[in-house]
Amino acid sequence: MRAIVVRQLGGPEMLKLEDVPRPAPHDGEVLVRMRAAGVNPVDTYIRAGAHARKAVPPYTPGFDGAGEIEAVGAGMDRFAPGDRVYIGAAPGSRPAGAGTYAELVLATPDQVHPLPAGISFGQGAALGVPYATAYRALFQRGRARPSETVLIHGATGGVGLAAVELARAHGMTVIGSGGTDAGLAAIRARGADVVVNHREQGYTDAIVTATAGRGVDLIVEMAAHVNLDRDLGLLAKHGRVVVVGSRGRVEINPRDAMGRDADIRSLMLFNVSDNDLAEIHAAIGAGLQNHTLNPVVGREMPLAEAARAHQAVLEPGALGKIVLVI
Ligand code: NAP
């Protein structure tokens, strides 16, 4: 079978399509024939050796994806060959090197989840990391409640659009930010009540106005290195910021937090517990079934173009998820 293999940490050019041995499921495992693999920013940090989680080459990248059950090991009765599934494992729990940028992937039953008819494989590849992260940020770390106002600061990407959908379905007022007209249109189409362009001077004024000066209860932050200091001034009393993404250091004024009894929280999906992950995928499954969740795939690229996809996922102007078609 073919898979992307990284033999040396470094730039995108390290991603090479190779023939590798076909895996066989052991007892209690499933073998998934992948149709789409998700490309996440974290895949690029790990490939470059710039992430706390270290990969030991040679390895195959990728934490999420979707496909069909190809074969099941002995003692496995939850899935049968032909079932449509997505992979939603805790990134830390995938076997080292056994990433999803491959034609065939081994998984344990708790790492695969049914993919309803009507949700494409590409959309299924948007669930494992972005939707799980968005759910964890909003509900498990952010303690989001219906009737609250949430700012999704960076709402046009994989995590951001997922957060918009989840927050809307939860009965929240949603303010989403993006950096392009196409991105803002996508946020609006997913149900955001207010959209703002985070590249425009003074864009936070519209956020203050939208809350009648009260501030937002929760911020899901994709670019804390740019925004965290400003976020504290946008919070309502007892507000929370959940840091999902940050690409550098930032200076804050703690008094802006103190004056509001505000919390700065954070998450790393690698740290999720089995119980929390089960909750996450039960909720995602329900949202797919009742059509409140409908992932946006912005770009599909062939598996062989993984290197180009790694460049694209770091470029500004996000529009949903980038997916490798297998
Ligand atoms: P993505 O699809 O590349 O989206 C990036 C998002 O950040 C876009 O909405 C982009 O908006 C926005 N952005 C860029 N500059 C911004 C700014 N100055 N202010 C606010 N937003 C800004 O990436 P993703 O998959 O959604 O992930 C988002 C971030 O979370 C990444 O940094 C990723 O590494 C991180 N992440 C962390 C975890 C975790 O476990 N902690 C899990 C998943 C992702 P425009 O392009 O429209 O400007």
Side-chain angles (χ1 to χ4, degrees):
M1 70 130 179
R2 291 179 311 160
I4 295 290
V5 179
V6 173
R7 297 203 165 270
Q8 192 189 324
L9 300 183
E13 69 282 2
M14 296 300 165
L15 300 162
K16 298 267 168 52
L17 189 62
E18 294 190 9
D19 280 314
V20 299
R22 179 191 166 97
H26 300 104
D27 293 358
E29 287 182 343
V30 297
L31 184 64
V32 182
R33 178 159 291 279
M34 302 299 293
R35 303 293 183 195
V39 176
N40 293 290
V42 70
D43 304 345
T44 73
Y45 317 148
I46 291 174
R47 185 214 66 233
H51 197 269
R53 182 181 163 83
K54 300 297 175 200
V56 182
Y59 78 97
T60 292
F63 293 111
D64 49 14
E68 290 155 313
I69 300 289
E70 171 90 355
V72 298
M76 156 60 65
D77 50 12
R78 266 186 55 214
F79 294 99
D83 287 354
R84 301 171 86 249
V85 293
Y86 74 91
I87 292 186
S93 71
R94 300 276 313 142
T100 54
Y101 294 15
E103 288 178 337
L104 294 166
V105 166
L106 284 177
T108 53
D110 56 323
Q111 297 175 342
V112 289
H113 307 277
L115 187 68
I119 303 292
S120 71
F121 291 123
Q123 289 180 296
L127 299 168
V129 174
Y131 275 73
T133 301
Y135 184 95
R136 187 157 177 75
L138 284 166
F139 305 119
Q140 294 177 337
R141 301 292 291 136
R143 298 284 164 211
R145 301 181 63 177
S147 86
E148 286 191 324
T149 297
V150 59
L151 166 63
I152 316 290
H153 217 165
T156 53
V159 179
L161 283 167
V164 170
E165 288 188 345
L166 287 162
R168 278 293 295 164
H170 199 57
M172 305 182 78
T173 299
V174 178
I175 303 172
S177 87
T180 62
D181 288 346
L184 295 180
I187 303 170
R188 207 177 275 114
R190 279 329 196 238
D193 300 276
V194 178
V195 300
V196 293
N197 188 328
H198 52 231
R199 303 232 176 96
E200 285 176 2
Q201 280 282 336
Y203 73 94
T204 52
D205 293 351
I207 298 169
V208 175
T209 305
T211 61
R214 198 182 73 89
V216 297
D217 302 292
L218 178 62
I219 299 176
V220 176
E221 181 57 61
M222 309 302 166
H225 58 297
V226 183
N227 296 323
L228 187 58
D229 188 46
R230 197 169 22 216
D231 284 345
L232 297 178
L234 291 173
L235 286 175
K237 257 202 183 133
H238 311 296
R240 295 88 67 199
V241 182
V242 179
V243 175
V244 172
S246 186
R247 293 182 181 163
R249 300 175 65 93
V250 63
E251 187 175 302
I252 63 164
N253 183 352
R255 284 193 169 161
D256 286 335
M258 292 156 65
R260 296 168 166 82
D261 280 23
D263 289 341
I264 301 172
R265 303 176 186 174
S266 61
L267 73 91
M268 189 68 86
L269 192 60
F270 294 112
N271 297 331
V272 70
S273 68
D274 290 346
N275 282 347
D276 282 356
L277 197 64
E279 172 187 317
I280 287 169
H281 288 292
I284 291 173
L288 294 173
Q289 290 286 355
N290 67 24
H291 307 296
T292 49
L293 303 183
N294 190 16
V296 177
V297 176
R299 270 166 99 173
E300 294 192 338
M301 301 162 94
L303 180 62
E305 292 185 20
R308 201 160 60 82
H310 270 213
Q311 288 167 331
V313 78
L314 295 183
E315 285 163 4
L319 197 57
K321 178 84 173 177
I322 296 178
V323 158
L324 295 170
V325 178
I326 303 171

